[in-house]
Amino acid sequence: MDFWDVFWLLLIFIPLLLIWAFAIVDIFRRDDLSGWLKALWIVVVILLPFLGTLIYLIFRQPGATAQERRAMDQASREFVEKYSPSDSAQQLKLLADLHDRGKLTDAEFAEEKSRVLDSARAHDAAQTRDTTSGGTAGSPAVPSTGEPRGPAEPPPAAGGSEPPRRPRGFGA
């Protein structure tokens, strides 16, 4: 075998064969296609290996399998947790920046600003209520019944305030 035979085999033919095999396996894995549509794609990919595979990969939608949808959802949640602001001051700063850049209209900015401020006030009111009724800022006040709580029993949930929602434009 000379250089060009090895070149065509290793750098062209084998990668194309692997992509063709991936397309066939992927067609069978998809749960968003009906049986007839899967059969049609298999016929197209097998009869027209290069062109059929290219067409399939161009028109293939992401999130075609349940595993891909879970991975995309998890990646989206991690991105939002990592890059979204954690307190109301950061949220207001980001809202002001989006408004200054023209990404938010005046009405959207006012609506989101009032929502952030309202959730901050509700959170502060819940903390103030908890501290004045005998609890600490991080834990709600619990009336003592004389019975010790066991380690398996979770502390009661703080009632009254829900965690602040993320404004539109923050990924959630």
Side-chain angles (χ1 to χ4, degrees):
M1 277 172 70
D2 65 344
F3 171 76
W4 291 109
D5 289 339
V6 173
F7 174 80
W8 285 108
L9 179 68
L10 293 179
L11 295 179
I12 305 296
F13 182 72
I14 291 179
L16 286 176
L17 186 65
L18 290 173
I19 292 171
W20 182 72
F22 163 77
I24 290 174
V25 169
D26 188 63
I27 290 170
F28 282 109
R29 284 184 37 209
R30 291 181 65 158
D31 58 0
D32 64 332
L33 294 177
S34 67
W36 288 106
L37 201 51
K38 285 182 184 183
L40 178 67
W41 273 117
I42 289 293
V43 168
V44 168
V45 167
I46 289 177
L47 291 181
L48 304 169
F50 181 71
L51 187 63
T53 303
L54 182 66
I55 292 170
Y56 172 74
L57 292 176
I58 289 173
F59 288 110
R60 179 188 186 277
Q61 295 179 357
T65 65
Q67 180 182 4
E68 288 176 345
R69 288 189 294 271
R70 282 192 302 273
M72 288 170 39
D73 185 48
Q74 181 63 27
S76 175
R77 289 178 190 277
E78 289 172 0
F79 180 82
V80 168
E81 288 175 10
K82 184 175 181 180
Y83 292 108
S84 62
S86 58
D87 64 351
S88 58
Q90 288 177 338
Q91 288 179 357
L92 289 173
K93 181 179 176 186
L94 188 55
L95 281 172
D97 182 48
L98 288 171
H99 183 256
D100 292 343
R101 288 189 292 156
K103 302 292 182 185
L104 291 177
T105 64
D106 292 336
E108 291 172 332
F109 175 72
E111 176 186 339
E112 293 299 325
K113 180 180 173 185
S114 65
R115 191 194 53 72
V116 168
L117 292 175
D118 289 343
S119 67
R121 279 189 215 109
H123 182 68
D124 290 343
Q127 282 186 342
T128 304
R129 185 176 57 243
D130 290 344
T131 56
T132 58
S133 62
T136 61
S139 65
V142 179
S144 177
T145 59
E147 299 176 11
R149 271 199 313 236
E153 183 180 343
S161 71
E162 63 181 39
R165 296 180 314 162
R166 301 277 183 220
R168 285 179 294 170
F170 287 105

